[in-house]
Amino acid sequence: MFQSASLPVALSKSEYERLEPALRTALLAAQQQVVDRKPFSVMILIAGVDGAGKNDAIARLHEWMDVRYLTCNAYEEKETEGERERPQLWRYWRDLPARGETSVVVGSWYNTPLRRFVLGDLDEDGFERALARINRFEELLARENVLVLKFWFSLQPKVQKERLKALKKKARARRILAEWTDIAHASDAQDAFEKAALTTSTAAAPWIVIPSGDPQSRDIALGRCIEMAMRRRLAAAPADPLAVPTVVARVKRISAVDAIDLSQRLPKARYSAELEHWQAELARLVDKKAFRDLGLVVAFEGNDAAGKGGAIRRLIRPLDPRRYRVHRISAPSREEKAHPYLWRFWTRLPRQGHAAVFDRSWYGRVLVERVEGFCTEADWMRAYNEINEFEAELAAADTLVVKFWLAISKQEQLARFKAREETPYKQFKITDDDWRNRLKWDAYAEAAGDMIDRTSTPDAPWALIAAEDKRHARVAVVRHLVERLKDAL
Amino acid sequence: MFQSASLPVALSKSEYERLEPALRTALLAAQQQVVDRKPFSVMILIAGVDGAGKNDAIARLHEWMDVRYLTCNAYEEKETEGERERPQLWRYWRDLPARGETSVVVGSWYNTPLRRFVLGDLDEDGFERALARINRFEELLARENVLVLKFWFSLQPKVQKERLKALKKKARARRILAEWTDIAHASDAQDAFEKAALTTSTAAAPWIVIPSGDPQSRDIALGRCIEMAMRRRLAAAPADPLAVPTVVARVKRISAVDAIDLSQRLPKARYSAELEHWQAELARLVDKKAFRDLGLVVAFEGNDAAGKGGAIRRLIRPLDPRRYRVHRISAPSREEKAHPYLWRFWTRLPRQGHAAVFDRSWYGRVLVERVEGFCTEADWMRAYNEINEFEAELAAADTLVVKFWLAISKQEQLARFKAREETPYKQFKITDDDWRNRLKWDAYAEAAGDMIDRTSTPDAPWALIAAEDKRHARVAVVRHLVERLKDAL
């Protein structure tokens, strides 16, 4: 999850000085409306790895917002006597902000289960159960007019190490909000968090990741998110706990899709040998006895004309035709429309020892259906969780889920479209729809970025494939599948 | 839960013959509309103890409904090979009815976790986790235009024993839908079910209990529920997965409140001695060292003028005034209104070794707020789960929750109201509100019945107290508290 959180981001001092006053004004104006109209209260959870600057960001919020209506509630891992003698959620209930007010929560209800899980005091079932309780609590809050915003401040482990080292030398060190001091490595906290975020990023209260490598863009991203969320919620119907769709908040929005290095190429001279090598590997793996206890589901998504079909043909060549099926997914039939959108995929699941390859997939819900408005925002927002759940069910039933995103540039797409129009035997591949979709390139890129951030799970990560060079893409696809299969078998 | 399910019910042959044709017509008309307009599909889960007549009821549905659009899908505990090699939910997805169609599901997604929990193959955490997955699945269905109706056919263990014995002698025996044959006692299945129902009776897909002692009223109740649910869903907004508010379906609606035996009395001669005995017991218990590790929350609800105040005074007399507090709950203050409705109760929770007594409580949400329309149906429907969750949090934090419903008859209330008006020092106790509420006696009784059915949990059962005779009520209240405390300490 949150692939784009690890993309580099930085804001120059002059950029910050240009952005900050406008954001400050907008944030204050939004808060003022919440204070005046009192339609809801706001809880801002600040969590994340040590050294990411949680305290500094909170200090910044206090500079920016009207502090008469802003409270910071910090909770210690070690409860007070009065807290220990009451239910765990009691202290959070006690300090719940009244409508119109905003509360910054440090040391939230996530801290104890997260820490206990990392330290091994809580097993997977217990952790899931604790998270389910949290979901119910947050859903109650969302329905009872509390806007719950959950921020996770993330840092690359390497960056964290450097930062903690540098901070040690300074007096400022005491300002670090140290929640994970007894847990050595940032990635432990991050892994536990990602697991929790999978279950608790609900439409009512999604997690938002703040890449915190650069302090200035960190604060701008945080402020923007709060401002946007307040504004959206002010505009929404009273009973509609609307969510914030951004899952990774940053100043310059770069999606995981934009960041794919499209310059990757494979020289023609090496293509055949490499392809044959990986195809042979694949043939060897699916021939193994262990493969008979494994189901395989492969999904292909990507830009139009990115070469999904060609890649699929290379992928299936080493497979026994009796043991795989390719499903080309287009507009749903009348019967399919009469069922939940996931139905046509559930009913096509392979049994063990078999493979199902989907040329376009259930991700249509959060791509074409989102962009074209075939479903409501609430529908595609909840689809992320539904899809993660679907793939978790597959994983639990020993089915390997491999997902490819094939990316090309806008110019390359144009060239391929034109080539298709000019080549008689390729004309069937290009339709008016393709040209129409192309006009919405940016909307599709945004949808793809959100999709990758929200549905790259440990069980079923996305493989992002540069497809500007077809040879590179085809080999990369087969190779990636081989690697995933090797891990699984 | 489902207190009223154990109340006796029977339908004479002539009553059945009068009711059946009208129900049949209405049910068919509702189904016809679903078939014609295709706004949703219907899944009817039939579950319950063996011998309750699940098969017979299903046969009846097939007589009553248009079988061209009705399918029965029965799933075995032992999966087929194709099923075993795919995710557990696969077979249910495969057979999902299309919009307009109805599917009767026997051997639903509940069966495996229920059985495994009863047999001890699944611990509490694992069971809760399985139920959380089910909740997510059903919520997806509800949002994707599937009306999910879940019926539990219940029988008193004694009745079940007799019925199974009688059936053994007949050829009809083979028609028993035996799902629990290896689990001896109906109450094991019933206990596991009640645990599951607590978590999975959501607003989107609530459980409905069918008391199955009498076959004719069983079938009428089932048919009525289906007809009513279809009709309500047809009338609802498309995106609104509206629930069925009845939790125990029966022909003649008798609530647990109506069934309280109000003739219970305590002769004046015995009153003082009995009261003193139980008060002394109470004093002894709260003096125990173990009580210092226990919180105590006592909630009083009941008809107006049922004598809550008097009962509370007798209850607190043996307690150390430094260690308890009585909270009289009336209309919320402005500050309370600016918070979620549970806030004013969370913030009044006692620490260990202390008690909080609530004269009226968080149940106002599903009583006065429901009846007077102070909140929406969706609000009070979800409140049952929220309240159960709240009390589960209390139980998990070693707080004993004791809940009293004090019941009087309508005539007795009138007499007490008049007495209050005529006695100068009692006049403050009677207001115009009391008279207004009295006009809604039936609505309050229905709300109270639903409340008791939905919130009598193993951790926090309701104590139903006949209060027609004040002496009886006062002693019964202290005595019940003593018994609960004894169990807890």
Side-chain angles (χ1 to χ4, degrees), chain A residues 41 81-82 84-91 93-99 123-129 132-133 135-137 139-141 143-144 146 195 199 292 335 337-343 346-354 365 379 382 386 389-390 393-394 396-397 399, chain B residues 41 81-82 84-91 93-99 123-129 132-133 135-137 139-141 143-144 146 195 199 292 335 337-343 346-354 365 379 382 386 389-390 393-394 396-397 399:
Chain A
S41 60
E81 210 187 312
R84 210 166 33 246
E85 296 189 347
R86 293 184 172 93
Q88 279 165 20
L89 290 174
W90 176 73
R91 55 184 182 177
W93 271 97
R94 180 193 57 199
D95 300 334
L96 224 53
R99 288 208 305 266
D123 66 5
E124 201 136 323
D125 278 353
F127 190 49
E128 282 283 340
R129 191 180 177 178
R133 277 172 60 206
N135 274 349
R136 293 195 288 269
F137 173 52
E139 184 166 345
L140 182 153
L141 292 179
R143 290 190 185 278
E144 291 286 323
V146 182
K195 212 176 152 35
T199 309
R292 284 182 227 160
E335 202 202 354
K337 272 190 195 153
H339 287 88
Y341 71 100
L342 281 174
W343 180 72
W346 267 99
T347 50
R348 288 181 166 100
L349 292 182
R351 26 190 308 200
Q352 285 166 10
H354 290 243
R365 186 71 161 189
D379 285 335
R382 70 178 155 82
E386 290 165 352
E389 183 80 15
F390 170 49
E393 295 281 331
L394 286 170
T399 297
Chain B
S41 60
E81 211 186 313
R84 209 165 34 246
E85 295 189 348
R86 293 185 173 92
Q88 280 165 19
L89 290 174
W90 176 73
R91 55 183 182 176
W93 270 98
R94 180 193 58 198
D95 300 334
L96 225 54
R99 287 209 304 266
D123 67 5
E124 201 136 323
D125 278 354
F127 190 49
E128 282 283 340
R129 191 179 177 179
R133 278 172 60 206
N135 274 350
R136 294 194 290 269
F137 173 52
E139 185 166 344
L140 183 154
L141 293 180
R143 291 192 183 277
E144 291 286 324
V146 182
K195 209 171 153 39
T199 310
R292 284 182 227 163
E335 201 202 355
K337 271 190 195 154
H339 287 89
Y341 71 98
L342 282 174
W343 180 72
W346 267 98
T347 50
R348 287 181 165 100
L349 293 182
R351 25 191 311 199
Q352 286 166 10
H354 291 243
R365 186 70 161 189
D379 285 335
R382 69 178 155 83
E386 291 166 351
E389 184 79 15
F390 170 50
E393 295 281 331
L394 286 170
T399 298

Side-chain angles (χ1 to χ4, degrees), chain A residues 201-470:
Chain A
S201 267
T202 56
W207 276 100
I208 304 156
V209 171
I210 305 278
S212 306
D214 175 63
Q216 293 180 317
S217 58
R218 173 197 68 205
D219 294 349
I220 295 275
L222 175 69
R224 269 205 189 153
C225 265
I226 295 171
E227 187 265 332
M228 190 181 82
M230 282 181 169
R231 205 156 27 82
R232 280 180 67 111
R233 189 73 158 88
L234 281 163
D240 180 20
L242 203 71
V244 204
T246 338
V247 63
V248 176
R250 45 172 70 250
V251 185
K252 297 165 187 163
R253 188 150 165 73
I254 317 168
S255 86
V257 166
D258 301 325
I260 300 169
D261 173 14
L262 296 181
S263 70
Q264 297 170 78
R265 309 208 159 254
L266 185 67
K268 202 170 179 176
R270 278 167 49 206
Y271 173 63
S272 297
E274 291 238 359
L275 185 65
E276 274 164 33
H277 168 73
W278 291 112
Q279 284 179 334
E281 275 292 279
L282 182 56
R284 192 180 61 79
L285 287 170
V286 297
D287 228 35
K288 277 194 165 178
K289 209 168 158 232
F291 184 73
R292 284 182 227 160
D293 296 328
L294 197 75
L296 174 63
V297 166
V298 185
F300 279 86
E301 294 285 352
N303 303 112
D304 285 335
K308 290 185 290 295
I312 290 171
R313 278 196 300 281
R314 271 70 181 185
L315 180 88
I316 59 183
R317 193 156 303 161
L319 304 178
D320 177 345
R322 291 166 303 178
R323 295 190 153 266
Y324 73 83
R325 200 167 276 190
V326 177
H327 303 283
R328 288 198 176 74
I329 302 301
S330 51
S333 70
R334 215 167 64 143
E335 202 202 354
E336 286 165 351
K337 272 190 195 153
H339 287 88
Y341 71 100
L342 281 174
W343 180 72
R344 57 174 167 161
F345 306 103
W346 267 99
T347 50
R348 288 181 166 100
L349 292 182
R351 26 190 308 200
Q352 285 166 10
H354 290 243
V357 179
F358 292 90
D359 185 351
R360 301 230 177 260
S361 69
W362 46 97
Y363 285 98
R365 186 71 161 189
V366 295
L367 294 171
V368 57
E369 291 196 49
R370 165 182 171 173
V371 173
E372 303 296 336
F374 295 157
C375 65
T376 66
E377 177 170 355
D379 285 335
W380 58 259
M381 278 294 295
R382 70 178 155 82
Y384 297 114
N385 286 345
E386 290 165 352
I387 286 172
N388 287 337
E389 183 80 15
F390 170 49
E391 295 175 357
E393 295 281 331
L394 286 170
D398 296 321
T399 297
L400 183 67
V401 181
V402 183
K403 307 182 296 198
F404 292 104
W405 175 265
L406 267 56
I408 54 173
S409 67
K410 209 173 167 183
Q411 308 87 283
E412 177 64 21
Q413 188 187 59
L414 184 65
R416 292 190 188 177
F417 276 10
K418 283 190 174 154
R420 286 178 175 188
E421 285 193 325
E422 284 157 16
T423 316
Y425 68 89
K426 281 188 177 171
Q427 278 167 7
F428 77 95
K429 279 181 158 186
I430 180 110
T431 66
D432 288 352
D433 270 356
D434 292 323
W435 288 105
R436 264 197 299 274
N437 291 348
R438 189 175 152 76
L439 293 175
K440 296 181 181 161
W441 180 274
D442 291 344
Y444 274 101
E446 191 185 342
D450 283 348
M451 169 187 85
I452 285 160
D453 272 346
R454 284 179 184 268
T455 61
S456 267
T457 60
D459 286 334
W462 276 98
L464 306 181
I465 306 284
E468 197 85 343
D469 176 54
K470 283 186 183 175

Side-chain angles (χ1 to χ4, degrees), chain B residues 43 71-75 92 94-97 102-108:
Chain B
M43 287 180 101
T71 318
C72 183
N73 292 302
Y75 304 93
Y92 305 109
R94 180 193 58 198
D95 300 334
L96 225 54
T102 299
S103 155
V104 174
V105 180
V106 181
S108 75

